[in-house]
Amino acid sequence: MQSSGSPKVRGWIFDVYPSNIGEMAVWIISENGQRIRLTDKFQPKIYVSGIKEEQEKLVGKIYANPDVANWNFIYKFVQPMDSEKSRVLEITLKDCRKVSSLTNQILKIGDYMRLEVHNCDLRGDRTYFFTHDLFPLAFLEVENLKADLKYTLLDSVESINYTLPPMRIMHLKIEIAKTRKIASLQDPIANISLEQEEKRFIIDSGNEAEKLLQLSKMVKKLDPDIIVTKGGDSYIFSYLLQRAIVSEMSDKFILSRDEVPFVPKTQQGKTFFSYGRTFYKAPTIRLYGRVHIDAGNTFILNESSFQGLFEIARICRAPLHTSSRSSIGSSMSSLQFYQAFKQEMLIPRNKSIPESFKSAYELLVADRGGFVYEPKVGIHDNTGEVDFSSMYPSLMVNNNISAETVLCKCCPDSHLRIPELNYNVCEKRKGVVPKVLKLVVDKRLKYKRLRDEVINPKLKEMYDNRQIALKWILVTCFGYLGYRNAKFGTVDGHIGVCAFGRAAFLRAARISESRGFEVLHGIVDSLWLKKDDSNLEDYENLCREVSDEIGIPLNFEGRYKWIVFLPSKMHPNVGVLNRYYGVMDSGKIKVRGIEVRKHDTPRFVYNAQMEMINMFSTANNSTEFMQKIPKVLNVVKAYRLKLINGEVPIEDLIVFKHLSKNPKHYQQHASQVIAAEQLIAEGSKVRAGNSVSFVFTDSNNKRFDRRVKAE
């Protein structure tokens, strides 16, 4: 750790967090590779709205509050729908860690009805970035003045060819000397493994106190920027802290760059429900001056590597440790909060825009989701697939869909109307949602173009990971628009996007049919088309015409040698919307909705099904496909024989299942519940949202505890 001796430093802003009261610690990775700690004065602001008399009463009650630095009456846009600013009470706090407690005091003073608090959900580090118009890993020049820091930004979130500092990334693993089948906090440390820059270090000598002290010294010596664990949030760091307490050296056990000892975590993990599934999220274990990433508690890193994570942190203006753990919806919220902050629009504590009243007929007409063409069951030759690029996000941008623009009061006679419901959309101002989405849509298109143009494999991978990260924001933005807790969401806008989407999709299908194509299948934003004697140019011309007509890019994904649309298991004559497999002219195999795509499929089943598909993939048409069926059935027989003869490794038979609720709340002894109960009996903590792994031992046994064996 170094403090800057020079008044000016050029480099990348790496980490920000509250230090002393009224101060923020700021870590810079300088151009010459130094890790420099600076301190800046910072006092956050919250805002209180309500009638004038209530605001003035509040001033009298908080005047002597020790957490309040000062207050003032100013004008802001209070509600997203407001077209004029209103008077609000601006309260400046001495310490950003006191925002939550002061918010609760104010709400209590107003009996939770008469006063509303705004911008109170922004954490101190995020507020600091917003206030200074900065973002993580921004390249800048910072001048260390006596009173505060002065920033000169030399970077932009819109940049696609930005440079990043060389990161030191350490992987930390702990091996526990278990005394039972399941490790516990009371078990001693067996060894500690560290990997950084292709070098591996093993700490396995000495007693526990010496091992922990060696770990602290090694981390300080190697000085990593990022420490990656698997289970650090949920178990590893809690375990290490417990062993440090037992060894009476918790004050010396330091992994942060800022020399702050670990403190026991008081925050509990949370279980939440999203898109039909229950998830469990462990509480964050924070390091200071370094970033801890739990590989088991990060979605974006697993989907798009570090390049995708850095892109999300930059564009969403969220600290790295937060970005790595955030859901994509939370990242989307951060983008919207910054845009609102920039437009002097207050961020509500709770969603404040209700759904407009609709008659039963209006609901029947409008609330219908996306348009689909039921697939024609069977195998089809020479089928082309076309796909709208970011269809729903593009519709939201093109049609200005946001909470404050749909059914706005300023444009009742707007020419921009939502189909079928005829709702007006604002023409006087651009909404928060389309503003932030335009940035994401435009950047992703540029990354995809660069990925396809460059030859260098490292650059190709980098651009691909960045566009994948942005893709997930675009994938979730439509659902988040209708989410009940989205502060700039709107159910009416959500319904409107579906209506615009249905109209665009139907127009694309009609244009395709007018050009002689047959629609074999269609779902929301993708069409599978067939035309005798068609060539690639026919598909490309069609895409160009539809793109020009509708205003959203329609891409030709490729042509299949053959594709199989599978039927429903319950109704053999009815096709399933998203269950198919096929081989393109390029040789690429595309599979959806079958076992090889499911996360809980045992490796044995995956290998068997992939071998069957690979054998089919050598067929050039449906006739050759049918001729290969006997050989494919022989594959099934061979795998069955391996299983009967006990030739399959036990790890290839492991099944993974998700728990939608706590094990004790299940009424039936399903396989995953039995496995969870076995783990609990061994001392493990199993919660709703966790996954359990097990093997089937005797699935029909009358004693349910003998049906499976937990891993």
Side-chain angles (χ1 to χ4, degrees), residues 275 351 355 358 366-370 392 396 401-403 406 418 421 423 476-483 488-502:
Y275 290 94
K351 183 176 179 178
E355 180 181 358
K358 296 176 185 65
D367 197 7
R368 292 187 286 140
Y392 280 177
M396 292 158 72
I401 302 295
S402 189
V406 176
I418 290 178
L421 278 175
Y423 287 168
T476 57
C477 70
F478 166 67
Y480 202 67
L481 186 68
Y483 177 48
F488 293 96
T490 162
V491 174
D492 296 316
H494 186 270
I495 291 173
V497 174
C498 287
F500 280 118
R502 288 193 299 272

Side-chain angles (χ1 to χ4, degrees), residues 58 62 102 174 212 228 299 338 375 418 567 669:
L58 177 63
I62 66 166
L102 183 61
I174 307 294
L212 291 167
V228 181
F299 171 80
Y338 169 73
I418 290 178
H669 281 96

Side-chain angles (χ1 to χ4, degrees), residues 253-273:
F253 180 55
I254 297 170
L255 297 183
S256 294
R257 188 173 269 145
D258 212 347
E259 297 192 359
V260 180
F262 271 104
V263 293
K265 61 181 180 183
T266 56
Q267 202 177 8
Q268 295 294 315
K270 61 180 180 179
T271 298
F272 60 97
F273 189 75

Side-chain angles (χ1 to χ4, degrees), residues 404-468:
E404 71 276 23
T405 59
V406 176
L407 289 173
C408 71
K409 296 176 183 177
C410 58
C411 304
D413 300 321
S414 168
H415 293 93
L416 185 55
R417 320 293 292 192
I418 290 178
E420 299 163 354
L421 278 175
N422 200 35
Y423 287 168
N424 64 289
V425 180
C426 190
E427 292 181 312
K428 293 183 178 178
R429 58 175 173 169
K430 201 73 173 173
V432 167
V433 172
K435 275 186 178 178
V436 300
L437 284 180
K438 182 168 175 36
L439 169 63
V440 180
V441 169
D442 290 348
K443 281 198 80 173
R444 182 172 181 244
L445 287 174
K446 290 175 183 176
Y447 281 139
K448 289 178 73 175
R449 177 176 53 79
L450 287 170
R451 176 200 62 189
D452 296 337
E453 289 176 354
V454 298
I455 299 173
N456 186 311
K458 288 187 177 180
L459 284 177
K460 190 178 285 287
E461 182 183 15
M462 179 186 75
Y463 290 134
D464 191 43
N465 282 322
R466 289 180 183 178
Q467 73 86 16
I468 287 171

Side-chain angles (χ1 to χ4, degrees), residues 91 182 235 277 279 284 313 341 356 368 377 379 418 464 486 513 520 587 597 615 618 625 676 697:
I91 302 174
I182 304 293
Y235 189 78
R277 293 191 72 189
F279 296 90
T284 300
F341 189 93
S356 64
R368 292 187 286 140
V377 174
I379 185 167
I418 290 178
D464 191 43
E513 289 172 334
L520 295 178
R597 290 281 295 181
M615 189 167 287
T618 59
F625 178 96
T697 51

Side-chain angles (χ1 to χ4, degrees), residues 191-219:
N191 63 68
I192 301 170
S193 169
L194 304 174
E195 289 184 28
Q196 184 172 318
E197 296 176 354
E198 299 182 355
K199 294 180 181 179
R200 191 178 184 199
F201 307 89
I202 303 293
I203 301 172
D204 57 3
S205 61
N207 57 35
E208 277 198 303
E210 290 169 337
K211 288 176 182 175
L212 291 167
L213 199 56
Q214 285 183 67
L215 172 60
S216 294
K217 289 180 178 178
M218 189 65 74
V219 168

Side-chain angles (χ1 to χ4, degrees), residues 116-145:
E116 187 57 60
V117 186
H118 307 264
N119 290 32
C120 57
D121 289 337
L122 294 177
R123 296 181 65 89
D125 46 15
R126 197 91 51 103
T127 309
Y128 185 83
F129 281 132
F130 288 5
T131 303
H132 291 85
D133 207 6
L134 300 174
F135 49 92
L137 300 177
F139 186 67
L140 44 73
E141 182 177 86
V142 54
E143 186 174 0
N144 194 357
L145 305 175

Side-chain angles (χ1 to χ4, degrees), residues 614-658:
N614 285 330
M615 189 167 287
F616 276 133
S617 70
T618 59
N620 291 310
N621 51 52
S622 57
T623 302
E624 293 183 14
F625 178 96
M626 302 301 286
Q627 291 171 352
K628 291 185 179 293
I629 289 178
K631 291 183 179 180
V632 170
L633 290 175
N634 287 335
V635 172
V636 179
K637 292 174 184 177
Y639 271 86
R640 179 176 178 272
L641 195 60
K642 282 183 183 179
L643 187 61
I644 292 172
N645 293 338
E647 298 172 4
V648 182
I650 192 71
E651 58 267 23
D652 287 358
L653 298 175
I654 295 173
V655 179
F656 299 89
K657 287 288 184 182
H658 201 72

